[in-house]
Amino acid sequence: MKLKTKFSLLTGLLVILIVSGISIFLFIAERQHLIREMEQNKIDMVKSLAQVCKESLIIKDEILLLNYLKLIKGTKGLVYASLTDNNNKILAHTDIKLLGSVLRPSESEKDNIFDVSSQVFIDEKKVGLARIGFSRKILDDEVKNTLNETRNRIFAIAFIALLVGLAGALIFANMMTEPINKLSIGAEMIGQGKLDQRIIVKSRDELGGLAAQFNRMAFKLKELDQLKNDFVASVTHELRSPLTSLSMHIDLFFKGATGTLTEKQMEFLRIMKENTSRLARFIDDLLDVAKIERGKMPINKISFDLPSLVYEVVTLFNIQADKKKIELKAEIQKKLPRVFADPDRTRQVLTNLLSNALKFTPEGGKIEIDARWRMGDGRYKSGDMKTESSLQSPISNLQSDFMIVSVSDTGIGIPHEDLGKIFDKFEQVKGVREKVKGQKGTGLGLAIVKGIVEAQDGKIWAESEPGEGSKFIFTLPIDNKGMEK
């Protein structure tokens, strides 16, 4: 799960819990407040009735009490209002038919009526009891309706607050993860050797400070890399001249310029010649890597026939393959279009890949070169609907036509965890290099191959299963102008 998703879910859940908790709290508090307010209103009402009853008895004005009863009779939910004496005799009632009778509430009235009462005193002497009865059903309906309206208002406000909170959570998650994503991309680019990468984070918080430190680190790495390149270029150039002179003098010894040599002297000279040649190849590789990293690798693109080049390279390696009893063959699709690339550099790519395949393939193995015309819709020109699943999909999203070339072997293979770094400089797979007999490589060959392929607007990758062999696949652009002709 991505960090942005985690942030969004966490903050979103927090917002939901807070909004839900506040909404429930407000609803319960409003409900309790409403009930208390209604009860207080009823108590205040019966106290007012008791005061009117007191004044009416003092001045002996029944009309005052009757008018007041008539006034409150229209109160919503009121069932009755009355004044009884100490013997429970009705002195006044909203229902005049009950005047003079004794008030005896039934059991059903106790269940259906909410009754409130207040004693009436004159000169601290109790003279009666004022009572008001309200319908419980009407009161409950009134509370329910009021609470429904309150709940709807709370839910509407909570919904708006929830939307705002979730939007804020997404914005917050984006603010937190965007700089981290930039740092991740920058680190990946630097890991690929692109040391010019810089991170732009405008915030002045800790993430902004981290981005600034990252940029300073990238700048320092760029400086160190430049120093390293300058040092390598200087050293290789300084070594080339004496090495060339040494090689020429060894050749003079072989030609007899110093007289006849013994067999032992010839053996020593052959060893010297082999090591000078090996050192010369290493210097050439270092120079090629330096040119690739500086973007100064000369690439002269022309239109040429790829199958002819492939068969030429295969012919060069046939003798070496026969010595190791390895079957080396090329499977080239018929009527392939011409490619637009540098033939010399393409030859260098195939030579490096075939050299590695021969080095890591045991006797009795098999090496095969395959070349196909892959069209933009994912089909191959031969008509077969070959899927991209076996090609690990670096080209599955490409919409243009191109040539796809592969060099596969039945060698010792490469562990899956090492496939992503075999194209790095000086990278050699542990446990594999030790199994190779003869001269060991320098770890620069595949880095040079990758640089050449990408300089020709192609892609390269590898597939492998330990113990079952490896396949190196690269692409070359098609000569579209030649196809139109």
Side-chain angles (χ1 to χ4, degrees), residues 28-90:
I28 294 174
E30 183 67 19
R31 180 176 179 274
Q32 292 176 345
H33 174 72
L34 179 62
I35 294 174
R36 285 197 302 267
E37 186 178 22
M38 291 185 66
E39 291 177 350
Q40 188 61 44
N41 288 337
K42 302 308 183 263
I43 293 172
D44 293 341
M45 191 173 178
V46 77
K47 286 182 177 180
S48 297
L49 175 60
Q51 183 64 30
V52 173
C53 292
K54 177 181 177 180
E55 294 176 358
S56 177
L57 292 174
I58 291 174
I59 63 176
K60 298 181 180 180
D61 185 358
E62 296 180 358
I63 301 298
L64 175 62
L65 178 56
L66 292 175
N67 286 335
Y68 186 79
L69 291 175
K70 185 177 180 181
L71 177 64
I72 64 174
K73 186 176 181 180
T75 303
K76 186 177 181 181
L78 187 139
V79 178
Y80 62 83
S82 66
L83 172 63
T84 59
D85 60 14
N86 293 331
N87 296 320
N88 217 25
K89 180 180 179 182
I90 298 175

Side-chain angles (χ1 to χ4, degrees), residues 250 253-254 261 265-273:
I250 292 174
F253 277 109
F254 276 120
L261 301 175
Q265 289 172 331
M266 292 291 287
E267 182 182 351
F268 289 158
L269 285 174
R270 279 192 292 270
I271 295 173
M272 292 171 64
K273 181 66 176 179

Side-chain angles (χ1 to χ4, degrees), residues 317-328 354-367 409-412 435-439:
F317 282 90
N318 270 331
I319 297 177
Q320 189 176 346
D322 290 339
K323 286 183 178 180
K324 292 189 65 174
K325 298 180 182 180
I326 293 175
E327 180 184 356
L328 174 60
L354 273 177
S355 178
N356 278 347
L358 284 168
K359 186 186 301 182
F360 294 105
T361 302
E363 290 187 3
K366 180 179 179 182
I367 298 174
D409 61 58
T410 58
I412 55 181
K435 298 178 182 178
V436 179
K437 297 179 180 180
Q439 293 184 358

Side-chain angles (χ1 to χ4, degrees), residues 113-235:
I113 294 177
F114 175 72
D115 186 89
V116 290
S117 61
S118 178
Q119 295 178 353
V120 179
F121 290 90
I122 297 177
D123 296 332
E124 298 182 359
K125 179 181 178 181
K126 178 184 176 184
V127 295
L129 183 67
R131 304 180 66 173
I132 299 179
F134 297 91
S135 171
R136 290 187 180 274
K137 183 178 183 306
I138 293 176
L139 291 179
D140 291 342
D141 290 342
E142 184 178 355
V143 171
K144 184 178 179 180
N145 292 335
T146 305
L147 287 177
N148 285 338
E149 294 177 0
T150 302
R151 183 182 61 242
N152 292 336
R153 287 196 301 269
I154 292 175
F155 283 177
I157 296 172
F159 180 73
I160 295 173
L162 188 62
L163 291 179
V164 173
L166 291 176
L170 291 175
I171 294 173
F172 173 73
N174 188 66
M175 289 174 59
M176 290 294 295
T177 56
E178 184 178 4
I180 297 175
N181 288 334
K182 289 182 178 179
L183 288 168
S184 176
I185 294 172
E188 182 180 359
M189 299 296 286
I190 286 181
Q192 295 174 359
K194 300 176 182 179
L195 301 179
D196 292 326
Q197 182 70 22
R198 295 294 180 269
I199 305 298
I200 301 176
V201 177
K202 298 181 180 179
S203 61
R204 298 184 179 181
D205 53 13
E206 288 81 356
L207 289 174
L210 179 60
Q213 292 294 337
F214 183 94
N215 291 334
R216 281 192 284 271
M217 178 194 70
F219 179 76
K220 289 294 183 182
L221 287 175
K222 179 69 175 177
E223 286 186 337
L224 292 173
D225 188 66
Q226 186 62 46
L227 288 173
K228 180 264 298 179
N229 289 337
D230 293 342
F231 174 76
V232 170
S234 176
V235 169

Side-chain angles (χ1 to χ4, degrees), residues 32 34 42 62 77 91 109 145 227 240 308 320 336 380 387 400 402 412 420 477:
Q32 292 176 345
L34 179 62
K42 302 308 183 263
E62 296 180 358
L91 302 178
E109 285 183 342
N145 292 335
L227 288 173
R240 181 181 288 276
S308 299
Q320 189 176 346
L336 287 177
Y380 289 81
T387 63
S400 58
F402 52 85
I412 55 181

